[in-house]
Amino acid sequence: VSWQEAIRGNKTATCGGNPVWIGNESGDEDAERVSKIKSHINTMNLQAALLSMYYSLFGTADGALYFYIEDDTIQWKCFSYENGDNCTEKPDYEDPTKKMGVRLFGYEGFEAVELYRPTKNELYIHFPDDETLLKHYPNGYLDKTDDGFYLISQTEHGLDESLFCYWREADIPSGPVQRPIETFETLLSDCGENIKYYAYQILFLSGGAISLPNANFGGKVIGSKTADGDAKILEPADASNTLEIGFKKVYNAICDGSKSVFI
């Protein structure tokens, strides 16, 4: 049962399903500025960016958004552990009062680190030696660290704040209810076994049955070689009420524990 995905989709839709609302509460002097902000939001589709961010957050417990300008428009990228990105946020190594985003990922079989700093972005790639680096980057490198990371590119973005937005949670929403989810699946399995066994009537014979139906027969026959002949249908155990109570209790525990509402 895909409870984890159901809870993840539920949380994503709840947090990002409605569009971002921007309103002007400062009078006419800011009307044009707010109008431009709204235009940028619509052009870059900020709602899709937030949905991507939430989907990563509720599936892996963290996610990051990176904003940049391309062709005079604001663009975005969502980084997620599911896509091979290990992200975090740290104080900038030159100005600890400001934050920088850190993204660790794989690049053509090599370890790469991208730093989203307050005024610029830097890309470092770990190569075993200069010869290997020159095969991939004939123009060489800008700098090299003591642990073998080569500074490949350094790009100014013209602002004084990192364009990297990162968020981490302690756990995904379905994490605290993993045990109730497993209990629900066990109940469902028991219910399925009960249905499979009693789907067809079971005929009980006594008195020396000579032949029984083969395994492809649609029901079950149990023979007993006794002196007294008899035949009757075995009734299945009525566990419907017990299963219904169990399903309801566990379902409520899953919803309460994950703070989810399914309509």
Side-chain angles (χ1 to χ4, degrees), residues 21-42:
W21 181 86
I22 300 291
N24 180 20
E25 298 181 353
S26 302
D28 295 338
E29 60 184 25
D30 288 328
E32 184 177 354
R33 181 167 178 262
V34 172
S35 178
K36 289 182 178 179
I37 292 175
K38 289 182 177 180
S39 178
H40 283 302
I41 286 176
N42 293 331

Side-chain angles (χ1 to χ4, degrees), residues 75-113:
Q75 305 289 338
W76 57 271
K77 293 179 181 179
C78 181
F79 299 132
S80 173
Y81 184 80
E82 284 185 316
N83 300 327
D85 303 308
N86 273 310
C87 297
T88 188
E89 203 170 41
K90 295 184 177 181
D92 184 71
Y93 59 80
E94 289 182 350
D95 186 357
T97 63
K98 295 183 178 181
K99 294 182 179 180
M100 72 173 180
V102 181
R103 173 184 169 229
L104 176 66
F105 62 102
Y107 174 81
E108 297 185 0
F110 299 100
E111 191 177 17
V113 178

Side-chain angles (χ1 to χ4, degrees), residues 39-40 43-45 67-76:
S39 178
H40 283 302
T43 301
M44 71 174 177
N45 198 352
F67 297 91
Y68 61 99
I69 297 176
E70 185 177 86
D71 298 329
D72 295 328
T73 59
I74 300 176
Q75 305 289 338
W76 57 271

Side-chain angles (χ1 to χ4, degrees), residues 66-70 77 92-93 113-124 137 142 151-163:
Y66 166 60
F67 297 91
Y68 61 99
I69 297 176
E70 185 177 86
K77 293 179 181 179
D92 184 71
Y93 59 80
V113 178
E114 198 159 23
L115 303 181
Y116 302 91
R117 303 184 57 202
T119 60
K120 55 192 172 185
N121 298 332
E122 297 175 340
L123 173 62
Y124 290 84
Y137 290 93
L142 302 175
L151 177 58
I152 302 301
S153 66
Q154 196 172 58
T155 307
E156 302 280 345
H157 54 66
L159 299 176
D160 58 359
E161 186 176 349
S162 173
L163 305 179

